[in-house]
Amino acid sequence: MSANTFDHTRSDTCTPSRAARELGLQRGEFDLAVQLGHVRTLPDAGGGGGRLVERAELDRLRAQDGFPDSLSDRVRTVGTVDGAALLDVPAGRFTRLARLGLLVPVAFYVNRYRTVVWLYLAQELTQFAADADNAHLLKGRTPETLRSQLADGLDLRARNWRTRLVGCLLRQADDPWARAGAVAAFLAPVEVADVVKDPYERARVNRCRPALPGQALPGASSGHLAERITTAQDADEIAWLRSELATFVAEARALSPATRPAPRRARLSRRPTARPIPPMARTLTGAVRPPGGAAAPPDWGAELRRAAAEHMLQWPRTSPALPALPTTLRNHGTGPTPPRSTRRLRAWLRRGSPRPAEV
């Protein structure tokens, strides 16, 4: 038997894990490269719901100048400390710039202390530091307008991350249902149900929802943090996602309506034919209604005497004579019964026992 009997992928494609090894990337870096559009994928035709990479795409990436370092540099991420070192600013200033939305994170994770750690592309931070328009943000005093926004609690890191990921997922979507699922992934279930009223269309949208980062985090607190980050919070952001969801569902409905179950045909039950009820026989206890009057109450004594008379007529006249009752039974209850003699019993016992031999 061939070793490729159970291999459902084509010879000109490979799985993401195999593609990551051939490109010299870790699996997380490969997923980020796909998310950013550096590596093109196609849906799995086998129905598994995953993605595949063509061999031609791997050959294109290998032919680029500086491979594999050039591809690794484009997906290299850093945290707050390393990012501040790239910008040559303190970590506090780096965090304030990220909260203001000037630095957009590309990923996140929850550490063992249940703290959200944001990751940024090192290439984007280098470009931000090289831009002369951002020099006043890296050195000197932060402008007053920006400080007032920070004092009001402004934090755009999660929202900017969601906006970037929505754009990446929409670029990968192949049909309107997939685009609707990508938008619905960032809305609360109650919002999706309010926009998509039809239950069959809503089920189709939920099947097309992609798996977002952090949804499989262990622990209730970590899962709650990830859910809060991946779900839209601001009113204007929710309104925009709802509008996009309604538009994509309308396009998908016109292109390929959601599958619905076949209507059930009502089964005709054959009712039995009505039959006439036979009249009831006359009984001895039936009430007799005299003509022109109310029903008289039945005479139970007369009925019983008549039934007894009919029964006695059917008894045979020449019946054998019954044996006479013993005197003891006839006198039962008239007085005390004398004790019975045991003389006959002793005589019977003597007759049954052998006599002793005479000497």
Side-chain angles (χ1 to χ4, degrees):
M1 182 179 294
S2 175
N4 297 327
T5 303
F6 300 101
D7 187 9
H8 298 286
T9 60
R10 300 177 303 179
S11 59
D12 57 345
T13 61
C14 62
T15 61
S17 300
R18 179 66 178 273
R21 290 195 300 269
E22 294 189 10
L23 294 176
L25 300 175
Q26 298 181 2
R27 182 56 191 270
E29 296 176 341
F30 177 82
D31 294 340
L32 184 57
V34 173
Q35 174 184 328
L36 297 175
H38 300 321
V39 180
R40 294 190 294 264
T41 60
L42 69 160
D44 187 1
R51 310 287 296 184
L52 298 177
V53 183
E54 292 182 331
R55 291 288 179 180
E57 178 66 10
L58 299 180
D59 297 338
R60 182 186 70 85
L61 294 173
R62 291 196 192 96
Q64 293 179 352
D65 295 337
F67 179 85
D69 295 336
S70 59
L71 181 59
S72 301
D73 292 340
R74 282 185 288 177
V75 296
R76 187 169 71 91
T77 59
V78 293
T80 300
V81 177
D82 295 337
L86 287 177
L87 298 182
D88 194 15
V89 296
R93 181 182 287 268
F94 183 91
T95 302
R96 290 193 295 270
L97 293 176
R99 289 179 56 188
L100 290 170
L102 301 175
L103 304 176
V104 181
V106 72
F108 77 94
Y109 68 92
V110 181
N111 61 12
R112 60 180 180 176
Y113 302 107
R114 301 298 188 267
T115 303
V116 179
V117 178
W118 295 100
L119 301 177
Y120 305 85
L121 285 175
Q123 191 177 38
E124 291 183 355
L125 297 180
T126 304
Q127 295 173 358
F128 183 86
D131 192 352
D133 296 336
N134 301 327
H136 69 286
L137 299 174
L138 302 178
K139 303 295 182 179
R141 186 177 178 84
T142 305
E144 181 62 29
T145 56
L146 299 182
R147 289 203 306 269
S148 61
Q149 294 178 2
L150 292 173
D152 294 337
L154 179 66
D155 191 351
L156 298 178
R157 289 176 292 183
R159 177 169 178 170
N160 287 340
W161 173 81
R162 288 192 296 267
T163 303
R164 162 176 269 179
L165 188 56
V166 167
C168 295
L169 294 177
L170 290 178
R171 286 195 300 269
Q172 297 178 9
D174 303 316
D175 55 19
W177 286 115
R179 289 191 287 271
V183 174
F186 298 90
L187 286 172
V190 64
E191 300 289 347
V192 177
D194 190 33
V195 175
V196 187
K197 305 291 185 180
D198 188 86
Y200 300 103
E201 293 180 349
R202 189 163 60 251
R204 179 73 178 272
V205 170
N206 291 332
R207 286 197 301 269
C208 296
R209 293 179 58 157
L212 298 182
Q215 290 184 344
L217 291 176
S221 59
S222 301
H224 179 72
L225 287 174
E227 182 181 1
R228 183 172 179 82
I229 293 174
T230 57
T231 305
Q233 304 294 332
D234 300 332
D236 56 341
E237 182 185 8
I238 294 175
W240 173 70
L241 292 174
R242 285 170 58 98
S243 176
E244 293 295 318
L245 177 60
T247 302
F248 292 142
V249 170
E251 295 177 359
R253 186 187 303 117
L255 183 63
S256 59
T259 305
R260 301 176 183 273
R264 295 183 179 181
R265 299 181 59 183
R267 299 179 59 184
L268 300 178
S269 58
R270 301 181 60 182
R271 301 180 63 179
T273 306
R275 297 180 180 180
I277 300 176
M280 297 182 65
R282 295 183 60 184
T283 59
L284 299 178
T285 59
V288 180
R289 183 184 298 274
D299 188 359
W300 300 105
E303 296 293 341
L304 293 175
R305 288 193 295 272
R306 185 173 61 183
E310 293 179 359
H311 180 70
M312 293 300 296
L313 291 176
Q314 297 177 3
W315 188 265
R317 296 180 181 276
T318 59
S319 59
L322 295 177
L325 293 176
T327 306
T328 57
L329 294 180
R330 286 199 303 267
N331 298 333
H332 180 71
T334 57
T337 305
R340 299 179 59 180
S341 176
T342 59
R343 182 180 301 173
R344 296 181 179 179
L345 178 60
R346 290 197 300 269
W348 180 78
L349 292 175
R350 285 196 299 268
R351 289 196 301 270
S353 59
R355 297 181 177 180
E358 296 182 358
V359 185

